[in-house]
Every structure is written in structure tokens, then in C-alpha cells.
């Protein structure tokens, strides 16, 4: 086994153990491979190891990889901050957008998704622990946003996405409670199935609290040594 295959097996085993611990079935937690800053060849290798869902943060970098890897059946997730003037590419090129935190962004994505494309999957990003510097809507805005966004034509509103401060994993439980509480506001509650939370350093706690999708970069691809830019 090469390094990336090996790393993926380790992460899958960690997910499995966390699920057993939480008395959950392992298939209830999906692994999203966060590949920002890593070259297309690394994604191709991870794909060969069996990985299909990849998450990217920076639009231009992601578009280059989508182009370079168009021969593969990758499910592309955008997990970065969504800028209002960048929604067209997100609507057309991605399968999922996790960082939606305002109605206007969801409306633009719905309008810009092409008619012959399937509905765009999105998660609503919530600033669950009230960090000043963070993107995401406030927890008390979520119910109203779910009501509104779940009615948009080309959008499939799948759930919530949170990025708590490091070491603040206790709030994963709050995110799960909010996720459960707002389901009834959804125009299509059967679509509400995704709680995107947990990264390399805190995926055990996230799974214990009810995460259905962990976004893992470092534990899969190693440390990111390139300088990250927006
Ligand atoms: C970079 C990133 C991750 C992955 O973080 P790791 O600690 O490398 O696993 C997950 N989610 C988001 C939103 C990120 O930006």
C-alpha cells in the first residue's frame, strides 16, 4: 500500500471505531477528503484508493483541479467561504456547497444552477459557538433560513455545517440539537440528512455527537506546507 492508501485506511478505521463507540452504524458517517493545497496527482491517487468525495476551499484552485480530473467520477464539495460574486462557478461546477450562510447566496446558487443539472446540494453554515471572526449565520437565524432556502427550485438543502473553535468540541452537541430541532421547518424534510462537522483533530467527538460527514485533510494527505491564501 502507498502512503495515501494507508492514510485513508487509517482514517476509515478511526471512523469505524468512533461509530462503534457511539453505537452507530459506520455507513452513517461519510468521509469527505479535504484536498486544498494538494496537487491533482494526489487526488488522483486518493481516488484510486477508493475515495470519491473531495472538498476544496479556494475557487480558482478547485476549478483547475476539476478541469485536470474531469475523467474521474469525483463528487466535488466546496467548503470554503462563499463570496457573492463567485456563486456562478460554484453553482455550475460543484455537487455540494457547505458554506452557505445567507438567503441571497442560496438564491443566487439556485438561479445560476443550469436547468439540466440536478439540484445543488447545500449545507447551511452556522457559527455555533459565536466566534467573532467566523462565517456562518447565528443559531437563532437557522429556522427561518431553513424555511426559506428549502423552497428554492434548484437547491437541495441537506443540513448544517459547523467549524467550532479548536478544543471547543462540546458545541458539537449543540449543533446536533439544532440540526434535529429545525428539521420540521424544511419544505422537504426527507432531504435533511447531513450534519457536516469534524476534522482531523476532532472527528471522534463529532461522530459521538452525531456528525454524518467528517471533513478530513491533514490525516489523509499529511500536513499542508504551502501558505494558505484566500
Ligand atoms: C481545511 C479544512 C478542513 C480539514 O482540516 P484538517 O484539520 O486538515 O483535517 C475541514 N473543514 C474545513 C472547512 C476546512 O477549511
Amino acid at each position: 500500500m502507498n502512503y495515501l492508501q494507508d492514510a485513508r485506511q487509517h482514517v476509515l478505521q478511526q471512523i469505524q471505531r468512533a461509530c462503534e463507540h457511539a453505537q452507530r452504524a459506520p455507513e452513517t458517517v461519510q468521509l469527505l477528503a479535504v484536498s486544498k493545497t494538494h496537487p491533482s496527482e494526489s487526488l488522483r491517487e486518493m481516488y484510486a484508493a477508493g475515495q470519491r468525495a473531495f472538498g476544496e476551499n479556494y475557487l480558482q484552485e478547485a476549478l483547475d483541479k476539476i478541469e485536470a480530473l474531469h475523467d474521474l467520477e469525483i463528487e466535488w464539495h466546496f467548503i470554503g467561504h462563499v463570496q457573492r460574486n463567485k456563486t456562478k462557478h460554484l453553482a455550475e461546477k460543484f455537487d455540494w456547497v457547505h458554506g452557505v450562510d445567507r438567503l441571497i447566496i442560496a438564491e443566487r446558487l439556485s438561479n445560476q444552477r443550469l436547468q439540466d443539472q440536478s439540484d445543488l446540494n447545500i449545507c447551511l453554515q452556522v457559527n455555533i459557538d459565536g466566534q467573532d471572526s467566523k462565517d456562518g449565520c447565528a443559531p437563532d437565524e437557522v429556522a427561518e433560513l431553513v424555511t426559506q432556502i428549502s423552497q428554492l427550485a434548484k437547491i437541495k438543502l441537506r443540513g448544517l455545517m459547523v467549524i467550532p473553535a479548536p478544543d471547543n468540541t462540546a458545541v458539537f452537541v449543540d449543533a446536533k440539537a439544532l440540526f434535529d430541532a429545525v428539521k420540521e421547518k424544511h419544505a422537504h424534510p426527507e432531504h435533511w440528512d447531513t450534519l457536516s462537522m469534524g476534522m482531523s483533530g476532532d472527528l471522534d467527538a463529532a461522530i459521538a455527537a452525531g456528525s454524518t460527514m467528517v471533513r478530513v485533510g491533514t490525516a489523509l494527505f499529511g500536513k499542508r506546507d504551502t501558505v494558505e491564501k484566500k
Side-chain angles (χ1 to χ4, degrees):
M1 268 203 284
N2 68 29
Y3 173 81
L4 293 181
Q5 276 179 316
D6 204 29
R8 183 166 181 273
Q9 282 314 311
H10 271 106
V11 171
L12 289 175
Q13 280 164 13
Q14 187 182 354
I15 292 171
Q16 185 160 1
R17 273 198 309 273
C19 284
E20 279 165 16
H21 208 76
Q23 297 183 304
R24 301 179 54 193
E27 61 272 14
T28 61
V29 179
Q30 212 200 321
L31 172 61
L32 179 64
V34 176
S35 42
K36 62 180 172 222
T37 78
H38 298 290
S40 306
E41 302 83 76
S42 298
L43 281 73
R44 194 175 281 281
E45 233 180 277
M46 197 58 93
Y47 183 92
Q51 184 64 33
R52 292 294 175 269
F54 289 85
E56 289 282 335
N57 290 61
Y58 311 112
L59 184 59
Q60 190 53 54
E61 179 191 334
L63 293 176
D64 292 345
K65 290 179 195 173
I66 290 171
E67 177 67 27
L69 301 172
H70 70 271
D71 56 314
L72 306 182
E73 304 244 313
I74 290 180
E75 182 180 274
W76 290 103
H77 294 238
F78 189 77
I79 61 171
H81 175 62
V82 180
Q83 288 171 305
R84 184 176 164 143
N85 60 349
K86 302 271 175 71
T87 49
K88 185 171 157 60
H89 289 299
L90 296 179
E92 292 180 4
K93 302 289 186 185
F94 286 80
D95 302 293
W96 285 70
V97 177
H98 290 232
V100 177
D101 58 5
R102 284 175 290 158
L103 179 60
I104 181 72
I105 298 282
E107 286 174 340
R108 290 176 64 95
L109 291 170
S110 181
N111 292 336
Q112 291 169 332
R113 186 77 166 169
L114 303 176
Q115 273 315 316
D116 63 352
Q117 290 185 294
S118 58
D119 294 350
L120 179 67
N121 299 291
I122 69 171
C123 291
L124 191 53
Q125 185 177 352
V126 188
N127 185 1
I128 194 71
D129 51 356
Q131 297 170 74
D132 289 345
S133 58
K134 272 288 153 97
D135 306 318
C137 66
D140 65 6
E141 294 172 329
V142 170
E144 179 68 15
L145 284 169
V146 169
T147 300
Q148 294 167 328
I149 294 174
S150 64
Q151 292 167 17
L152 297 175
K154 294 296 286 179
I155 295 292
K156 195 168 178 182
L157 178 59
R158 301 293 294 265
L160 301 179
M161 189 273 241
V162 298
I163 316 173
D167 303 324
N168 198 10
T169 56
V171 297
F172 286 144
V173 175
D174 302 337
K176 168 66 169 157
L178 184 60
F179 175 76
D180 290 340
V182 297
K183 179 176 180 154
E184 62 181 63
K185 304 289 181 187
H186 202 299
H188 309 279
E190 70 279 10
H191 294 167
W192 188 253
D193 61 4
T194 302
L195 185 51
S196 165
M197 63 182 190
M199 319 203 294
S200 297
D202 56 17
L203 70 92
D204 291 324
I207 289 171
S211 168
T212 71
M213 194 183 292
V214 288
R215 308 177 309 264
V216 180
T218 309
L220 285 174
F221 293 101
K223 267 180 82 170
R224 292 179 288 274
D225 46 16
T226 10
V227 178
E228 290 183 27
K229 49 174 172 26
K230 285 260 176 182

